[in-house]
Amino acid sequence: MSPTKEQIDQFLAKQRKLPKHIAIIMDGNGRWAQQKGLPRERGHEAGAETLDKIVTISAKLGLEYLTLYAFSTENWGRPQTEVDALMHLLVETIKCQLPNMMSNNIRLLAIGDIDRLPKESKESLLAAIEETSHNNGLNLTLALSYSSRWEITKAVKEIVKEVRKGNISEEMITEEMISNHLCTTNTPDPDLLIRTGGEQRISNYLLWQVAYAELYFTPTYWPDFDEQALMLAIDDYSNRERRYGLTGEQITTGIH
Ligand code: IPE
Ligand code: IPE
Ligand code: MG
């Protein structure tokens, strides 16, 4: 059940720290459906309902960035019927979500090789990005036709081109410059990476950006993930000590 405003305020008040950016690998739709004797596509439909819940609660919790892995480069290799169903669902979900995004001040963004999407999916995505572009609450990024190795390869090519043209020298290449050539420019790195569905792997998601993210794996299939489950993950995050290579003492005293 969706928590009340009072419950949300109570929850926020007791957190020691809050993540600014949560990234989620929304996994387990297919197994959720198969377990119920349903076709995998039904799992994706149920997953779209979870997406709705999680986006809404994230906005209510005051989260600044939510980045959802919706479709990977490797997912193009799935059976064509499943790919088609997912692309169709994308259009439907965006249409359904648009009023919610407007009323909750959510700005939609996308990362990935968007040009590979079918025309209709790409158009509805770009239209929603445009329509929500003036919203300044939650930044909701959908990773679509996305893979981290694709993104890093693209960045390397762009930087090499700049060097070749003589615009920059090899010595000028910094971590910051590389970050700025990734699709996630202007987005802070995720603080918390959640993967549902029981697998404990990254599957080509935000490899560069999650260098110091806290990882949270849950066996819950994505369609069963809900507001309480997200709050539990945030609560877990809030009790972790992020050390970034330093000692615990350096972190607690702030002397380094
Ligand atoms: C995640 O659920 C959704 C996408 C990858 C598009 P899956 O479809 O991977 O579900 P499982 O992992 O097979 O259960
Ligand atoms: C990762 O899930 C991609 C998305 C959630 C969109 P997969 O189901 O594709 O990942 P693997 O194949 O189990 O690693
Ligand atoms: Mg999967």
Side-chain angles (χ1 to χ4, degrees):
M1 228 182 40
S2 183
T4 61
K5 179 161 187 327
E6 201 181 18
Q7 285 167 330
I8 289 175
D9 289 344
Q10 271 173 12
F11 169 80
L12 291 174
K14 77 175 178 45
Q15 300 308 309
R16 294 170 61 197
K17 61 174 180 287
L18 287 165
K20 225 182 180 180
H21 183 179
I22 299 180
I24 307 184
I25 301 173
M26 310 182 288
D27 197 25
N29 293 349
R31 280 164 290 159
W32 178 90
Q34 279 161 346
Q35 206 181 45
K36 292 181 152 42
L38 299 168
R40 293 177 57 86
E41 287 73 11
R42 290 290 299 280
H44 296 312
E45 285 166 22
E49 287 173 30
T50 302
L51 186 144
D52 181 17
K53 283 187 210 166
I54 296 306
V55 168
T56 307
I57 187 71
S58 297
K60 289 186 178 161
L61 287 166
L63 186 73
E64 289 182 52
Y65 299 90
L66 178 66
T67 304
L68 304 175
Y69 208 1
F71 193 85
S72 74
T73 305
E74 291 75 18
N75 290 150
W76 287 115
R78 292 195 178 191
Q80 195 57 43
T81 46
E82 183 168 342
V83 171
D84 291 346
L86 280 163
M87 290 301 142
H88 178 70
L89 190 60
L90 174 66
V91 179
E92 292 302 308
T93 306
I94 289 170
K95 272 187 198 151
C96 280
Q97 279 289 314
L98 201 51
N100 181 30
M101 289 194 270
M102 294 313 287
S103 63
N104 284 301
N105 196 20
I106 297 167
R107 179 172 171 222
L108 181 69
L109 299 154
I111 54 171
D113 193 0
I114 301 306
D115 287 337
R116 274 188 84 175
L117 299 180
K119 194 167 170 280
E120 205 198 356
S121 313
K122 186 181 157 184
E123 280 173 3
S124 72
L125 176 70
L126 293 179
I129 289 175
E130 172 63 28
E131 196 161 339
T132 61
S133 63
H134 297 295
N135 293 345
N136 57 8
L138 173 70
N139 291 286
L140 167 65
T141 302
L142 294 182
L144 284 162
S145 188
Y146 172 88
S147 90
S148 206
R149 288 184 175 182
W150 164 82
E151 171 187 50
I152 293 170
T153 307
K154 189 166 83 64
V156 170
K157 284 182 185 167
E158 285 170 12
I159 294 171
V160 167
K161 239 187 232 164
E162 290 301 307
V163 175
R164 278 240 187 86
K165 280 194 214 154
N167 294 342
I168 56 166
S169 66
E170 186 186 326
E171 291 68 36
M172 286 162 77
I173 302 172
T174 57
E175 290 187 8
E176 195 189 351
M177 183 187 284
I178 295 173
S179 292
N180 287 338
H181 278 83
L182 301 177
C183 304
T184 46
T185 335
N186 300 324
T187 307
D189 288 342
D191 300 297
L192 172 63
L193 171 68
I194 299 173
R195 182 172 188 142
T196 63
E199 311 300 351
Q200 301 193 6
R201 54 179 174 252
I202 310 291
S203 301
N204 220 347
Y205 192 41
L206 303 172
L207 297 180
W208 174 278
Q209 298 89 335
V210 299
Y212 266 104
E214 294 297 322
L215 308 182
Y216 183 89
F217 298 104
T218 167
T220 307
Y221 293 141
W222 177 249
D224 290 330
F225 196 76
D226 61 8
E227 293 90 344
Q228 274 72 25
L230 180 74
M231 285 155 84
L232 209 63
I234 295 175
D235 196 58
D236 190 285
Y237 166 86
S238 143
N239 289 311
R240 297 196 194 178
E241 184 182 63
R242 302 181 77 186
R243 289 193 285 273
Y244 301 98
L246 304 182
T247 66
E249 197 183 359
Q250 285 176 299
I251 297 297
T252 37
T253 58
I255 305 167
H256 49 85

